[in-house]
Amino acid sequence: MEQSTFIQQASSEKNKAAPKSAALQEPRIVRYSLTFIALAFLAFFIVLPLLSIFITAFQKGADVYFAAITHPDALAAIKLTLTVVAIAVPLNALFGVMAAWALTKFNFKGKNLLLTIVDLPFAVSPVIAGLVFILLFGSQGLFGDWLFAHDIKIVFALPGIVLATIFVTLPFVARELIPLMQTQGTSEEEASISLGANGFKTFWYVTLPNIKWGLFYGLILCNARAIGEFGAVSVVSGHIRGMTNTMPLHIEILYNEYQFSAAFAVASLMSVMAIFTLVVKDIIAWKSKSS
């Protein structure tokens, strides 16, 4: 008797919940309208500009396209961009891991100050950051006389471009890892240390496997920003053809000289890099959810 009463109550509650669940679903017209608006927005602001880049790049034929991307100045810009990325991204990865480790695993004086420094590039304009490096390392800057006396060139050279890129991309790895490591807590590290492992082994065998997908995600974002950075690099580069022009700066020069096909040809290479970055990011996000 009691079992029958319980089944009836459960059935009654289920019947009451069903209309409530159905009531939470939006009408079909609303769902279709929102989907159409979202797709139209993406098509207008992302797909069409990308298509226009490739259409304009090949407008004068494949010969002009390949001549533009194999021009010595273009090759120098591509090489410089990849060199800067190869230096800045690993350094930011190292800093991001150390900063996230310190901020999430330890309590110390100046913790809030370190967190503020990590977020500083988000608040400062890249152009202002470039001007700061000019004021520090330029010929009339704070360290200008000392650098000139020792024949060290920072601005209008590779070191200045790397410094500017490191500054603007500094928060990405740390900001991906900090919330992740805060969620994970310190229990596993404490257990590892209590079993006799040192700090390095604890990090390598315990912490790093837990944060690897967040680290990869941060590296992808850092890499994308480093490739496309314009403002800070524009200030410190000096716009020297074949020497200090990265790909965005080379595109600007070609466009200003009305070499539209060449400009869009180089831009198409950056677009391919961006698309590849998005694909890798999605793969990493999928892997992190499935693991």
Side-chain angles (χ1 to χ4, degrees), residues 183-266:
T183 303
Q184 292 173 351
T186 60
S187 57
E188 293 187 19
E189 284 82 3
E190 291 171 355
S192 175
I193 292 173
S194 67
L195 293 173
N198 57 30
F200 177 78
K201 286 186 176 179
T202 298
F203 171 78
W204 189 259
Y205 292 106
V206 178
T207 304
L208 188 59
N210 289 334
I211 67 171
K212 61 180 180 180
W213 296 119
L215 177 59
F216 288 152
Y217 195 84
L219 287 174
I220 291 297
L221 295 178
C222 182
N223 177 78
R225 178 63 190 272
I227 291 174
E229 175 53 32
F230 179 85
V233 172
S234 178
V235 175
V236 301
S237 71
H239 295 268
I240 305 173
R241 280 180 179 267
M243 295 180 62
T244 64
N245 275 341
T246 58
M247 292 176 70
L249 302 183
H250 184 62
I251 293 169
E252 182 200 27
I253 288 178
L254 292 175
Y255 190 85
N256 289 336
E257 293 177 348
Y258 302 102
Q259 301 182 46
F260 299 125
S261 296
F264 280 93
V266 181

Side-chain angles (χ1 to χ4, degrees), residues 92-111:
N92 272 335
L94 181 62
F95 169 79
V97 171
M98 292 191 298
W101 175 280
L103 289 167
T104 58
K105 306 298 181 181
F106 304 99
N107 291 317
F108 55 91
K109 291 183 179 179
K111 187 174 181 178

Side-chain angles (χ1 to χ4, degrees), residues 8-251:
Q8 290 178 357
Q9 290 177 350
S11 177
S12 176
E13 291 178 359
K14 184 178 180 180
N15 291 334
K16 291 180 181 178
K20 184 177 180 181
S21 177
L24 292 176
Q25 295 182 358
E26 295 290 345
R28 184 175 296 179
I29 184 65
V30 175
R31 287 183 282 135
Y32 286 171
S33 298
L34 292 175
T35 303
F36 174 78
I37 293 172
L39 292 176
F41 183 89
L42 291 175
F44 187 77
F45 288 101
I46 296 179
V47 177
L48 286 179
L50 281 175
L51 287 176
S52 68
I53 289 174
F54 287 96
I55 291 172
T56 308
F58 286 96
Q59 193 171 27
K60 294 185 178 180
D63 293 339
V64 175
Y65 177 87
F66 287 109
I69 63 176
T70 57
H71 190 276
D73 290 344
L75 293 176
I78 296 170
K79 181 181 177 180
L80 178 60
T81 300
L82 296 178
T83 302
V84 171
V85 169
I87 298 172
V89 173
L91 290 177
N92 272 335
L94 181 62
F95 169 79
V97 171
M98 292 191 298
W101 175 280
L103 289 167
T104 58
K105 306 298 181 181
F106 304 99
N107 291 317
F108 55 91
K109 291 183 179 179
K111 187 174 181 178
N112 290 333
L113 177 61
L114 177 58
L115 186 60
T116 302
I117 293 174
V118 170
D119 290 336
L120 186 62
F122 284 143
V124 177
S125 168
V127 175
I128 300 301
L131 288 174
V132 169
F133 288 115
I134 293 291
L135 293 175
L136 288 176
F137 306 117
S139 58
Q140 305 298 321
L142 185 62
F143 303 107
D145 293 337
W146 185 88
L147 292 172
F148 180 78
H150 292 80
D151 195 26
I152 300 175
K153 200 168 185 179
I154 302 294
V155 298
F156 308 145
L158 176 63
I161 298 173
V162 171
L163 286 174
T165 304
I166 289 175
F167 179 86
V168 298
T169 58
L170 182 127
F172 288 96
V173 175
R175 266 301 167 192
E176 285 297 323
L177 293 181
I178 288 172
L180 176 62
M181 296 173 76
Q182 282 176 336
T183 303
Q184 292 173 351
T186 60
S187 57
E188 293 187 19
E189 284 82 3
E190 291 171 355
S192 175
I193 292 173
S194 67
L195 293 173
N198 57 30
F200 177 78
K201 286 186 176 179
T202 298
F203 171 78
W204 189 259
Y205 292 106
V206 178
T207 304
L208 188 59
N210 289 334
I211 67 171
K212 61 180 180 180
W213 296 119
L215 177 59
F216 288 152
Y217 195 84
L219 287 174
I220 291 297
L221 295 178
C222 182
N223 177 78
R225 178 63 190 272
I227 291 174
E229 175 53 32
F230 179 85
V233 172
S234 178
V235 175
V236 301
S237 71
H239 295 268
I240 305 173
R241 280 180 179 267
M243 295 180 62
T244 64
N245 275 341
T246 58
M247 292 176 70
L249 302 183
H250 184 62
I251 293 169

